[in-house]
Amino acid sequence: MHRNPDPRGTRAHEETHGHPVDGDAVESRARSYAVSKGVPFTPMRQSVLALLAASGKPMSAYEIAEKVSDARKLKAVQVYRALEFLQEAGCVHRLASRSAYFACDHLHGEGETVVFMVCAQCGAVQEAASELVARGLRGAAKTTGFRPRHPMIEVEGECAECAGTPER
Amino acid sequence: MHRNPDPRGTRAHEETHGHPVDGDAVESRARSYAVSKGVPFTPMRQSVLALLAASGKPMSAYEIAEKVSDARKLKAVQVYRALEFLQEAGCVHRLASRSAYFACDHLHGEGETVVFMVCAQCGAVQEAASELVARGLRGAAKTTGFRPRHPMIEVEGECAECAGTPER
DNA sequence: ATTGTGTTGTTACAACATTACACCCAGGAT
DNA sequence: ATCCTGGGTGTAATGTTGTAACAACACAAT
Ligand SMILES: [Zn+2]
Ligand SMILES: [Zn+2]
Ligand SMILES: [Zn+2]
Ligand SMILES: [Zn+2]
């Protein structure tokens, strides 16, 4: 299996500083989920997850289809099927603001309110759970009698690295 | 994309309780913006905005193209151009979770953090600004040195009316 | 009149996502 | 062994969302 390639060093700073996601950990979570559902963790699912974990940055489904190492060129629909499983398993999230998918090695609690912070420069995503945000949402909902079920919070901005690099 | 049954709703009960948006108020805001930018508030822009305000609920660009009363059938690209203007004017928001657009008659302050609450049943959207959410986001960002610029917060759930009406 | 700026009409295309169906294959029941 | 069944896979077709490019037009300023 692959250890994550290590960062720091080689590449020019576009390709590099996305991420990092522990590929083994996230894969084992996916396997557990597969077992719990009585379905197989197939090579298809494995390769898509491995690619996302290795890249550490959001990729579109078509980009995944092109780059899966697996020799065979995947059709979009196959990628979407794998992504569906991986999202259910909690190993992959979808970024609505970019129609892109990325691997996640956090273990999110049931009602946890998670914030995705997406760097406009390099595309890297950081996640943070925030109870304060959750309270804010509950408060906002209460004023109108709205029953919140599934929040989606994506913040565009600049990651620490890119903010430190004056850009251009 | 999520194919909820009936995402943007054409079903029986919704001509009623989606919304309401004050069409005149929102149009006059659009006109002011147009003046301030030295560009015209054209019939094209007017019809798109009027349709969204009247409907009071999010519609896809293609749905707008079909339904604009203006006799002429609009092409998607024309709708997108109108929407671009209207979004800049602050009269229309885009709902990323549904790829849909809706009219807004609030006057949002510059740094205001707005929460969109989208009813999964009827598709209606309510907005609320929350300083508590804003603080939560700043807190989440600080832990990683992220510089937040443009938050996008969309909560799926049930509006008060639909929650009171268990289903049909 | 000429130029400049911005809108419109139109075509074409790119990017994202789903439906449908045939096939395969492993596990369990007959 | 044979059949049935439930998921996964391969493939094609299509649906949905969004842009690029360009010619034609309107209007205002010079
Ligand atoms: Zn996560
Ligand atoms: Zn960055
Ligand atoms: Zn608004
Ligand atoms: Zn509702």
Side-chain angles (χ1 to χ4, degrees):
Chain A
M1 304 253 152
H2 17 67
R3 295 285 20 167
N4 291 339
D6 191 284
R8 280 331 65 103
T10 51
R11 275 199 317 248
H13 123 306
E14 302 124 70
E15 290 302 333
T16 58
H17 75 289
H19 123 203
V21 175
D22 180 339
D24 294 342
V26 79
E27 177 171 323
S28 87
R29 292 230 328 277
R31 284 186 190 282
S32 305
Y33 177 79
V35 168
S36 83
K37 298 292 268 189
V39 301
F41 183 69
T42 62
M44 175 101 256
R45 290 162 181 181
Q46 198 271 335
S47 350
V48 170
L49 180 56
L51 173 62
L52 283 176
S55 130
K57 292 209 284 195
M59 303 173 68
S60 79
Y62 281 78
E63 204 179 341
I64 293 168
E66 284 172 6
K67 296 199 182 155
V68 160
S69 55
D70 217 289
R72 47 184 176 173
K73 309 282 186 197
L74 301 188
K75 306 293 188 186
V77 64
Q78 303 176 285
V79 174
Y80 283 110
R81 291 198 280 228
L83 288 173
E84 183 181 12
F85 169 86
L86 294 169
Q87 287 177 267
E88 281 167 14
C91 300
V92 164
H93 300 305
R94 181 182 133 98
L95 211 52
S97 57
R98 302 191 163 208
S99 296
Y101 304 83
F102 64 99
C104 157
D105 56 7
H106 300 72
L107 190 47
H108 298 295
E110 191 50 40
E112 210 174 63
T113 296
V114 181
V115 178
F116 298 154
M117 290 169 283
V118 186
C119 179
Q121 308 273 327
C122 72
V125 180
Q126 292 165 351
E127 301 185 39
S130 167
E131 182 51 41
L132 192 53
V133 171
R135 277 201 283 144
L137 293 182
R138 283 193 295 270
K142 194 154 56 175
T143 70
T144 59
F146 185 87
R147 269 191 211 178
R149 298 279 188 226
H150 174 47
M152 205 202 61
I153 305 171
E154 302 180 9
V155 184
E156 191 186 64
E158 291 167 303
C159 73
E161 289 197 50
C162 290
T165 309
E167 93 182 67
R168 202 154 319 261
Chain B
M1 194 144 302
H2 313 284
R3 286 288 171 254
N4 292 350
D6 193 39
R8 287 178 275 274
T10 26
R11 230 143 60 203
H13 86 209
E14 58 280 331
E15 288 308 332
T16 62
H17 81 290
H19 115 220
V21 174
D22 179 339
D24 294 341
V26 79
E27 178 172 323
S28 86
R29 292 231 327 280
R31 285 187 190 281
S32 305
Y33 177 79
V35 168
S36 83
K37 298 292 266 188
V39 300
F41 183 68
T42 62
M44 176 100 259
R45 290 161 182 180
Q46 197 274 335
S47 353
V48 170
L49 179 56
L51 174 61
L52 283 176
S55 132
K57 293 211 286 197
M59 303 173 67
S60 80
Y62 283 79
E63 203 179 344
I64 293 168
E66 284 172 6
K67 297 199 182 153
V68 162
S69 55
D70 217 291
R72 50 186 173 171
K73 308 282 188 195
L74 301 188
K75 305 294 187 185
V77 64
Q78 303 176 282
V79 175
Y80 282 110
R81 290 198 280 228
L83 289 173
E84 183 181 13
F85 169 86
L86 295 168
Q87 288 177 268
E88 281 168 13
C91 300
V92 164
H93 300 305
R94 181 181 130 98
L95 211 52
S97 57
R98 298 185 169 216
S99 296
Y101 304 82
F102 64 99
C104 157
D105 56 7
H106 299 72
L107 190 47
H108 299 296
E110 190 49 41
E112 212 175 62
T113 297
V114 181
V115 177
F116 298 154
M117 290 169 284
V118 186
C119 179
Q121 309 271 327
C122 70
V125 180
Q126 291 165 349
E127 302 185 40
S130 168
E131 183 48 42
L132 192 53
V133 170
R135 276 202 284 144
L137 293 182
R138 283 192 294 272
K142 194 153 58 176
T143 69
T144 59
F146 185 87
R147 269 191 211 176
R149 298 280 188 226
H150 175 46
M152 203 205 63
I153 305 171
E154 301 179 10
V155 183
E156 191 186 64
E158 291 167 304
C159 72
E161 290 198 47
C162 289
T165 312
E167 59 177 293
R168 251 180 212 290

